[in-house]
Amino acid sequence: QVQVAESGGGSVQAGGSLRLSCAASGRPLSSYGMGWFRQAPGKERDFVAAISWSSGDTTVSDSVKGRFTISSDNSKNTIFLQMNSLKPEDTAVYYCNGDLRRTYYSGDFVPDRGAWGQGTQVTVTS
């Protein structure tokens, strides 16, 4: 199973920016790509963004569209999440997943259970 390690979280005031990084130990052949999810206290873990290894196509959730950008360095099996114009509601633990699959009909992203990182805290103060 692929292992990942996130970095780059922290505390920032509303309107500020942070950049998260996630390095993977490898790239499963059948994997669509990697992505970011987040989990706020008392809530479920939600999809934030994903990037395809093969095409570089990116997908971001509506809640962060226009503010967050996902990118990758394929040579290092590393992805990044540039977060701009941060809002207090962006406060959460951000998790990277190193092995995403994508369903054929719905296009939903399905993270591999064993490919989660430890998470990194992002706190946005008003």
Side-chain angles (χ1 to χ4, degrees):
Q1 281 181 326
V2 63
Q3 296 179 334
V4 300
E6 305 106 333
S7 61
S11 182
V12 65
Q13 288 189 329
S17 298
L18 285 173
R19 188 182 192 227
L20 306 183
S21 300
C22 176
S25 61
R27 188 187 307 183
L29 291 177
S30 58
S31 177
Y32 170 87
M34 292 176 63
W36 293 96
F37 294 72
R38 67 186 182 183
Q39 188 167 18
K43 295 188 177 181
E44 295 184 349
R45 192 172 298 187
D46 293 329
F47 170 78
V48 175
I51 188 164
S52 165
W53 284 129
S54 61
S55 66
D57 287 347
T58 62
T59 306
V60 295
S61 67
D62 288 342
S63 62
V64 305
K65 195 166 292 182
R67 301 187 297 120
F68 290 12
T69 303
I70 187 171
S71 59
S72 68
D73 182 342
N74 286 9
S75 66
K76 298 180 180 179
N77 292 333
T78 299
I79 64 170
F80 308 95
L81 186 67
Q82 179 65 43
M83 305 184 293
N84 298 328
S85 302
L86 282 160
K87 304 175 181 179
E89 52 263 43
D90 294 319
T91 295
V93 178
Y94 284 70
Y95 294 92
C96 174
N97 192 280
D99 186 5
L100 290 183
R101 310 303 167 99
R102 195 168 194 183
T103 59
Y104 181 78
Y105 290 105
S106 66
D108 292 337
F109 293 100
V110 181
D112 183 270
R113 295 179 181 179
W116 291 110
Q118 293 299 310
T120 185
Q121 177 70 45
V122 171
T123 301
V124 184
T125 58
S126 57

